[in-house]
Amino acid sequence: MVSSASSPSSPDRVLNAGILGATGTVGQRFIVLLAQNPMFRIHSLGASERSSGRQYSQAAKWKMSELMPQEIRDVVVKPCDPTHFEGCDVIFSGLDASVAGDIEKAFMETDFAVFSNAKNYRMVSNVPLCVPVVNTDHYSLIAAQRAHYGMKRGFIVTNSNCSTSGLVVPLKALQDSFGPLKRVIVTTLQAISGAGYPGVASLDILDNIVPLISGEEPKMEAEVLKILGGLNDSATACAPLPDLKVSATCNRVPVVDGHTECVNVEFSGTPPSIDDVKKCLREFTCEAQAIGCYSAPKQVMVVTEEEDRPQPRLDRNAGEGMAVTVGRIRECPAFHVRFTLLVHNTVLGAAGASILNAEYAAKKGFI
């Protein structure tokens, strides 16, 4: 096998990044975040045959509120083929799931470190499904994944569905502090940017709420169990939580960015007080903070006492979009505790999570 990936890096070296699906909305968010991140240099942009061979400014319909970085405007878009990404240390994939599977596997098999937003490999037992402020311990699976595919340096790490990313952060804190959770009910109010571009038709979403996001509910219910679970004894596969029951109802609402989620939690044991819940969430920390990852938020969760918060327009950029805001924490007459959370669906819920995953991997010597 001929490897196109560059040599292993030191934790302090600037890493060359390739972006797959660079013209889409997730790819555009990757560009915005990477352009201001000192750990990475945008090296190569890949997209479909329709876009390849064109300058990026001509190939992409730019939809970010931030201006397109000047340095990438004239970059020529490449086909999403590993032979065109020689010199890249890391590959970020914003590809649609309809094409991501074979392309991401080809990059991994060419010994690239691949960080994917797509759903294709999330539930594969030896692939870390990692929300980087929650379960970086699952990186132990990379050795087993490399052994399984015969790779020396290549691997795939996925981040979760955008709505899952916000939910598992407070659940992880509660599980660690107060023991196993028994039941969770979550109702989401999800922003239209989660559907990509052109996304939801204006006649469907203006003055309206759509009470269905196809496939979203089973993804949330399964991903939570994998993320909050552990590994088997040999650290070769994930061991999803066997007893936690999660029920999700997902709705699309006329908000541009920021997923709001209303959550009810029942504990397996004696429930904590509301004051203890608030303290637990405020004080929760993660390994990415401890080792100095650039994108790690100073505070993983922002706990608000204002009775009408969080709100998407006011709170989605907490921690530069990498923090989860939690409010309305109160007792639940049916379960034990209920609260409302907000997560920026294209930052911690998508591109930002992949970038922090890569920062962590570099710091820990996986890249």
Side-chain angles (χ1 to χ4, degrees):
M1 181 185 66
V2 177
S3 173
S4 296
S6 62
S7 301
S9 65
S10 73
D12 299 321
R13 184 169 70 85
V14 176
L15 302 177
N16 288 332
I19 304 172
L20 307 178
T23 58
T25 52
V26 174
Q28 291 177 26
R29 181 62 69 182
F30 271 125
I31 287 171
V32 168
L33 296 175
L34 289 170
Q36 56 195 6
N37 190 311
M39 288 189 66
F40 301 98
R41 179 190 301 110
I42 297 175
H43 182 278
S44 300
L45 302 177
S48 66
E49 292 182 4
R50 181 179 64 254
S51 299
S52 63
R54 303 171 66 190
Q55 291 181 336
Y56 184 79
S57 60
Q58 300 300 313
K61 292 184 178 181
W62 190 255
K63 295 299 175 182
M64 298 293 103
S65 57
E66 300 88 349
L67 293 176
M68 181 185 295
Q70 189 65 35
E71 62 269 25
I72 63 95
R73 294 185 62 86
D74 296 333
V75 173
V76 176
V77 178
K78 303 176 180 181
C80 292
D81 184 291
T83 59
H84 295 281
F85 284 74
E86 185 173 356
C88 288
D89 301 294
V90 58
I91 301 295
F92 294 107
S93 174
L95 292 168
D96 186 82
S98 62
V99 297
D102 290 343
I103 294 173
E104 292 175 357
K105 185 177 181 183
F107 275 84
M108 182 267 290
E109 289 179 340
T110 317
D111 254 352
F112 284 102
V114 178
F115 295 86
S116 172
N117 273 268
K119 67 181 181 180
N120 304 64
Y121 294 102
R122 286 178 187 160
M123 300 309 296
V124 176
S125 62
N126 64 6
V127 173
L129 172 58
C130 190
V131 176
V133 296
V134 172
N135 64 320
T136 48
D137 56 309
H138 286 198
Y139 272 72
S140 299
L141 291 169
I142 288 176
Q145 187 188 135
R146 285 170 168 165
H148 178 79
Y149 290 105
M151 300 294 103
K152 293 182 179 180
R153 299 194 304 275
F155 61 86
I156 294 178
V157 170
T158 69
N159 48 271
S160 72
N161 177 269
C162 49
S163 49
T164 304
S165 67
L167 177 61
V168 294
V169 179
L171 294 186
K172 172 66 172 176
L174 295 174
Q175 175 180 273
D176 285 357
S177 293
F178 307 117
L181 309 178
K182 184 177 181 179
R183 292 188 296 172
V184 173
I185 291 179
V186 57
T187 300
T188 71
L189 308 170
Q190 295 182 222
I192 57 174
S193 58
Y197 179 81
V200 185
S202 59
L203 284 176
D204 289 333
I205 199 63
L206 290 176
D207 189 33
N208 201 25
I209 292 174
V210 181
L212 172 68
I213 302 174
S214 181
E216 195 85 348
E217 293 162 0
K219 281 191 287 188
M220 285 193 75
E221 292 164 357
E223 289 176 15
V224 169
L225 303 184
K226 182 176 179 180
I227 292 166
L228 295 182
L231 308 181
N232 63 9
D233 291 340
S234 58
T236 57
C238 281
L241 293 177
D243 299 323
L244 174 61
K245 305 299 181 185
V246 179
S247 176
T249 301
C250 298
N251 306 274
R252 188 74 72 191
V253 299
V255 169
V256 175
D257 287 318
H259 288 354
T260 303
E261 305 182 21
C262 303
V263 186
N264 302 71
V265 177
E266 181 180 9
F267 296 88
S268 294
T270 303
S273 70
I274 297 302
D275 284 343
D276 285 342
V277 168
K278 292 178 180 179
K279 183 175 185 290
C280 157
L281 301 184
R282 283 194 180 100
E283 296 180 354
F284 181 74
T285 60
C286 66
E287 188 182 4
Q289 293 170 307
I291 65 174
C293 291
Y294 176 81
S295 298
K298 292 181 179 179
Q299 193 170 350
V300 176
M301 279 175 281
V302 177
V303 176
T304 176
E305 296 287 355
E306 297 176 66
E307 63 182 6
D308 61 349
R309 302 279 284 275
Q311 297 178 27
R313 189 156 47 87
L314 301 178
D315 298 301
R316 59 192 167 210
N317 290 319
E320 305 297 325
M322 293 296 289
V324 175
T325 302
V326 186
R328 304 206 67 216
I329 303 169
R330 60 212 192 277
E331 292 184 0
C332 176
F335 285 12
H336 289 139
V337 64
R338 51 186 167 171
F339 52 84
T340 301
L341 68 85
L342 182 78
V343 61
H344 197 307
N345 54 293
T346 70
V347 185
L348 182 62
S354 283
I355 291 170
L356 183 51
N357 273 331
E359 292 172 12
Y360 178 86
K363 290 275 190 181
K364 301 293 284 189
F366 290 101
I367 300 174

